[in-house]
Amino acid sequence: MEMIRNYINGELVPPVGEQYLDNHNPATGKVYGQLPDSDERDVKQATEAALHAFPAWSKTPRNDRARIMMRLADLIEQNLDALAMAESIDNGKPVSLARVVDIPRAAANIRFYATGIMHYASEAHNMEDTAINYTLRDPIGVAGCISPWNLPLYLFTWKIAPALAAGCTVVAKPSEITPLTAFKLSELAIEAGLPAGVLNIVHGLGPKVGAAITEHPEISAISFTGGTATGKTIARIAAPMFKKLSLELGGKNPNIVFADCDFDEMLTTTMRSSFANQGQICLCGPRIFVERPVYEKFKTAFVEKTKQLKIGHPQDKNTKMGAVASESHMEKILHYIALAKEEGGTVLAGGHRVHMEGELAGGWFIEPTIIEGLSYDCRTNTEEIFGPVVTIMPFDTEEEVLKYANATSYGLAGTVWTRDLKRAHRVAHQLHSGIVWINCWLLRDLRTPFGGVKASGVGREGGFQAIDFFTEPKNVCIRIA
Ligand code: TXE
């Protein structure tokens, strides 16, 4: 049994209430460990530790903060195999994916902000002969970071790294569905020499631990990634308390294929943008719009490739597709496939739960699924499914496809495939989204603004914007005349 503990004031401790939740392995459906079922008492202790650690950490020279963070990043890399295996067991994702994406990116996030803080500067505004203004950027205090289950360590570090680099202390909560790598990170933080109380990790349920973090009056900012409905709940509580809020929420991204694109490259990448991580990435492109002249060619090739996509044991290094993260999430995805049929859709590939054999018999596996024949504005095409389910639809004009693409309440990312440079720019400018990829997908430069418009969230992560979020500007005006 893998027993997870909270990380509070530099120590690994049991929850105050001594209650635990079961932790499941999605590939077997079986319980393989337990995590603390913490409550507001644990959050209170963690916040007190963070408040106590704040003055010293915020005044620690940025060089020294960076050095400790670099050690933590090194330790993540040294433990790559063990962390990748832990992520795969906990989340159901292929270990091959965790080895090349999740864990290296966690180290990269920490390194990026450890070095970023060394280059972070604030502004000065000169008023000719009258005065000079300069802006101080002080860390905001104790930051609350709440992260989801789809890219567990990757998104957890994406939040805590800029907060720690900025000089904030942190109370963080990973998803209760995938707590294991955050627990392993707490062990590595101790080894790296992170001072007690600088990072505190409280495990448990959203409505208990997440809500207690959101409501705590001494936590000044909330950085959240997760579902749009949860984001609304958090905003309702935090906004009247005047907390700073960064909300990275869901997506229902369009993947727009024009007939003049590099077909093979588009097809290879579209397989990834449809089914990578079992479709559980907020940046996936589950709505595929294809220009009519290549629609039939695309449909045939895409269906054939998808049918070849083998689902396998997530811990087998050759597996490309694993289990979805939880039983309730599997039910949600299956419910949407049933809805798509009710709405008149035809399933061209997949459409079912996969019953594996042997130890995987109880696992939560779903076939990669392609659906055709739906209207652009039906529920299947406007609500977030967040699984290995995509729809395909032909279009005739640029104007028409923009109408389809912008028809959801979400606006996180979009992908456009074309060799026509002018069209690429035109379409990119007109898509309602925070990110547009032209002839690529998930190509990420950590300096770029990351986030969405409309129901996809508020604020931007990435680059110096994340450090701006965890600091408060103060303008000082000095009269010189
Ligand atoms: O996420 P939740 P869920 C989408 C996806 C998915 C849906 C619901 O469509 O099907 O959201 O997933 C914590 N106060 N995404 O319900 O609950 C929770 O414990 C404070 C998109 O599993 O939003 C976890 O740590 N915190 C997404 C975190 O919020 C609360 C990634 C996210 O879980 C809370 C995940 C509360 N009241 C799901 N309730 C993305 N944008 O990448 C829960 N939490």
Side-chain angles (χ1 to χ4, degrees):
M1 273 294 214
E2 183 83 51
M3 290 301 288
I4 289 173
R5 281 163 291 162
N6 289 333
Y7 172 47
I8 297 178
N9 206 19
E11 297 196 353
L12 301 175
V13 294
V16 175
E18 292 179 13
Q19 298 299 307
Y20 288 85
L21 301 162
D22 287 337
N23 194 14
H24 292 86
N25 176 341
T28 63
K30 297 212 172 81
V31 175
Y32 80 101
Q34 290 198 310
L35 67 142
D37 181 9
S38 311
D39 58 34
E40 72 285 351
R41 292 170 292 175
D42 303 278
V43 172
K44 185 165 178 276
Q45 282 187 358
T47 310
E48 278 162 11
L51 279 169
H52 186 73
F54 178 70
W57 181 249
S58 59
K59 293 201 168 45
T60 299
R62 58 190 65 206
N63 258 1
D64 297 344
R65 291 204 298 263
R67 197 170 293 131
I68 296 171
M69 291 178 68
M70 294 294 265
R71 273 206 297 272
L72 183 57
D74 290 345
L75 284 169
I76 291 175
E77 276 180 355
Q78 286 161 25
N79 289 276
L80 171 70
D81 288 334
L83 287 167
M85 193 51 89
E87 204 71 293
S88 173
I89 292 169
D90 212 24
N91 169 279
K93 68 177 66 204
V95 67
S96 55
L97 186 73
R99 263 195 119 265
V100 299
V101 176
D102 295 72
I103 310 305
R105 176 59 195 275
N109 288 339
I110 294 176
R111 234 175 239 137
F112 179 79
Y113 281 107
T115 51
I117 197 64
M118 311 286 281
H119 302 265
Y120 187 60
S122 59
E123 316 87 57
H125 298 91
N126 190 18
M127 297 168 74
E128 286 77 39
D129 295 334
T130 323
I132 180 159
N133 297 272
Y134 64 89
T135 309
L136 294 171
R137 278 260 170 202
D138 291 326
I140 193 156
V142 180
C145 298
I146 303 174
S147 60
W149 43 260
N150 57 332
L151 300 164
L153 193 63
Y154 172 137
L155 289 175
F156 191 71
T157 50
W158 185 232
K159 298 187 173 305
I160 64 168
L164 296 176
C168 291
T169 53
V170 173
V171 177
K173 189 196 103 57
S175 171
E176 61 275 27
I177 296 167
T178 53
L180 186 55
T181 46
F183 173 60
K184 296 205 174 291
L185 185 78
S186 51
E187 295 176 324
L188 298 180
I190 294 170
E191 200 179 331
L194 194 69
V198 169
L199 171 63
N200 303 276
I201 303 177
V202 185
H203 293 275
L205 299 170
K208 275 162 93 172
V209 177
I213 291 174
T214 311
E215 286 162 9
H216 200 296
E218 300 284 0
I219 296 182
S220 323
I222 303 289
S223 173
F224 169 79
T225 298
T228 295
T230 314
K232 263 189 205 163
T233 306
I234 289 176
R236 251 198 307 271
I237 297 166
M241 298 176 83
F242 308 112
K243 294 190 182 204
K244 266 183 134 177
L245 267 181
S246 168
L247 303 173
E248 298 302 334
L249 311 175
K252 185 76 178 177
N253 310 308
N255 178 5
I256 303 172
V257 178
F258 286 99
D260 68 345
C261 73
D262 179 330
F263 189 86
D264 294 342
E265 207 181 321
M266 175 279 297
L267 187 63
T268 306
T269 305
T270 293
M271 289 300 293
R272 286 177 47 235
S273 65
S274 301
F275 303 122
N277 206 38
Q278 294 70 248
Q280 303 166 125
I281 305 179
C282 52
L283 302 166
C284 276
R287 294 183 297 145
I288 307 174
F289 302 114
V290 186
E291 207 175 8
R292 202 172 300 274
V294 288
Y295 183 76
E296 286 303 322
K297 180 181 172 191
F298 171 79
K299 177 173 149 181
T300 308
F302 185 49
V303 168
E304 191 190 319
K305 261 188 174 302
T306 300
K307 284 186 172 164
Q308 287 164 7
L309 201 56
K310 280 266 169 300
I311 294 174
H313 197 310
Q315 282 89 64
D316 176 342
K317 63 180 187 338
N318 297 317
T319 293
K320 293 275 179 292
M321 205 145 162
V324 299
S326 68
E327 186 169 22
S328 63
H329 192 56
M330 176 184 72
E331 296 301 341
K332 173 185 160 180
I333 297 166
L334 293 172
H335 163 84
Y336 269 106
I337 294 173
L339 176 73
K341 289 184 201 157
E342 274 169 38
E343 289 186 314
T346 306
V347 176
L348 302 177
H352 306 100
R353 178 178 180 178
V354 182
H355 293 280
M356 309 281 276
E357 298 193 336
E359 62 161 342
L360 306 186
W364 305 318
F365 296 89
I366 296 186
E367 289 172 331
T369 299
I370 305 173
I371 300 165
E372 184 192 38
L374 289 167
S375 72
Y376 73 95
D377 56 355
C378 66
R379 284 185 59 200
T380 310
N381 268 332
T382 52
E383 296 178 15
E384 189 180 41
I385 302 175
F386 214 63
V389 180
V390 300
T391 64
I392 62 172
M393 186 187 298
F395 69 88
D396 293 297
T397 66
E398 211 174 292
E399 195 187 10
E400 180 192 5
V401 78
L402 277 165
K403 179 173 114 183
Y404 295 167
N406 289 333
T408 77
S409 60
Y410 295 105
L412 188 53
T415 303
V416 182
W417 292 94
T418 180
R419 283 188 168 110
D420 180 334
L421 187 65
K422 288 183 181 168
R423 174 158 62 197
H425 286 292
R426 259 195 325 266
V427 174
H429 289 204
Q430 291 176 84
L431 279 176
H432 299 165
S433 71
I435 299 161
V436 180
W437 279 293
I438 310 284
N439 298 329
C440 58
W441 177 72
L442 207 57
L443 195 53
R444 290 276 296 123
D445 179 327
L446 303 188
R447 294 169 300 180
T448 59
F450 179 87
V453 300
K454 303 194 284 184
S456 289
V458 177
R460 292 292 181 273
E461 297 184 305
F464 289 136
Q465 282 126 129
I467 305 184
D468 286 347
F469 176 75
F470 289 110
T471 56
E472 199 71 90
K474 180 195 285 172
N475 191 67
V476 180
C477 177
I478 312 163
R479 193 180 173 103
I480 55 171

